[in-house]
Amino acid sequence: MRHNKKFNHLGRTADHRAALLSNLAVALIQHKRITTTLAKAKALKKYVEPLITRSKNDTTNSRRVVFRYLQNKEAVTELFKEISVKVADRPGGYTRVIKLGTRQGDAAQIAFIELVDYDENMAKSSKAEAKKTRRSRRSTKKADAPAEAAENVAEEAKAE
């Protein structure tokens, strides 16, 4: 029976899967965005989000726990110095998976996974939408026309 055995094994042995997810997590932390298959991206999301949550509490024990998963000093340092500062006020959901389509060779679904607070394009678009006001051509033309007519009348009155 497979009760409560829901995580994706990714067609690998346990050691191979652990090494794969560790390497993907290190790449994600260093590059902030990586492209991989959709299944690996979803598995990585479940793997790396608890590590990011752990990095918010910068203690020796939490560093040791994270290092046990990542096995990379530079990645652990970057996680605790940079990323934990940026996600300090976020209560979860540190990564985003966006589907890109299918791969040409084997038709595997491709996606990229990125750290949410490091995507400048998404941040810029949300700010632009907030500042944007609704305007229509009709309202500007009608508003300008009476103002111009009033100015013309005022100038004619002064001339007389």
Side-chain angles (χ1 to χ4, degrees):
M1 288 184 277
R2 289 193 72 244
H3 297 309
N4 296 324
K5 298 181 186 292
K6 293 184 178 179
F7 69 92
N8 193 341
H9 294 279
L10 300 173
R12 289 163 170 81
T13 61
D15 290 337
H16 188 185
R17 187 171 50 253
L20 170 78
L21 291 173
S22 176
N23 289 334
L24 285 173
V26 168
L28 178 65
I29 289 168
Q30 289 177 341
H31 299 291
K32 312 302 187 263
R33 174 191 284 183
I34 58 173
T35 304
T36 183
T37 62
L38 184 62
K40 288 178 191 172
K42 287 180 177 179
L44 177 61
K45 185 174 182 126
K46 288 186 177 184
Y47 184 85
V48 80
E49 291 213 0
L51 299 180
I52 296 173
T53 302
R54 174 78 65 168
S55 73
K56 288 180 175 183
N57 185 14
D58 191 3
T59 62
T60 304
N61 184 54
S62 61
R63 280 182 179 265
R64 286 177 177 165
V65 169
V66 171
F67 183 76
R68 197 179 84 215
Y69 285 94
L70 297 181
Q71 295 291 314
N72 188 315
K73 288 182 185 178
E74 293 81 21
V76 171
T77 303
E78 189 166 352
L79 179 63
F80 278 86
K81 296 277 188 208
E82 289 182 30
I83 296 172
S84 65
V85 173
K86 273 206 164 189
V87 300
D89 57 339
R90 184 176 290 275
Y94 311 111
T95 58
R96 174 187 301 130
V97 176
I98 298 178
K99 296 178 185 178
L100 297 176
T102 56
R103 189 161 49 199
Q104 185 75 32
D106 59 355
Q109 290 185 326
I110 298 297
F112 66 74
I113 181 169
E114 65 183 356
L115 295 174
V116 172
D117 293 320
Y118 282 89
D119 187 17
E120 295 84 17
N121 297 333
M122 293 292 230
K124 288 179 184 176
S125 65
S126 64
K127 290 179 184 177
E129 290 174 13
K131 291 182 181 179
K132 186 178 178 182
T133 59
R134 185 173 177 200
R135 296 185 182 130
S136 64
R137 293 181 189 165
R138 188 172 158 211
S139 64
T140 57
K141 288 181 181 177
K142 283 193 171 186
D144 291 342
E148 290 175 6
E151 289 174 11
N152 291 342
V153 172
E155 289 175 7
E156 290 175 8
K158 288 181 184 177
E160 292 177 2

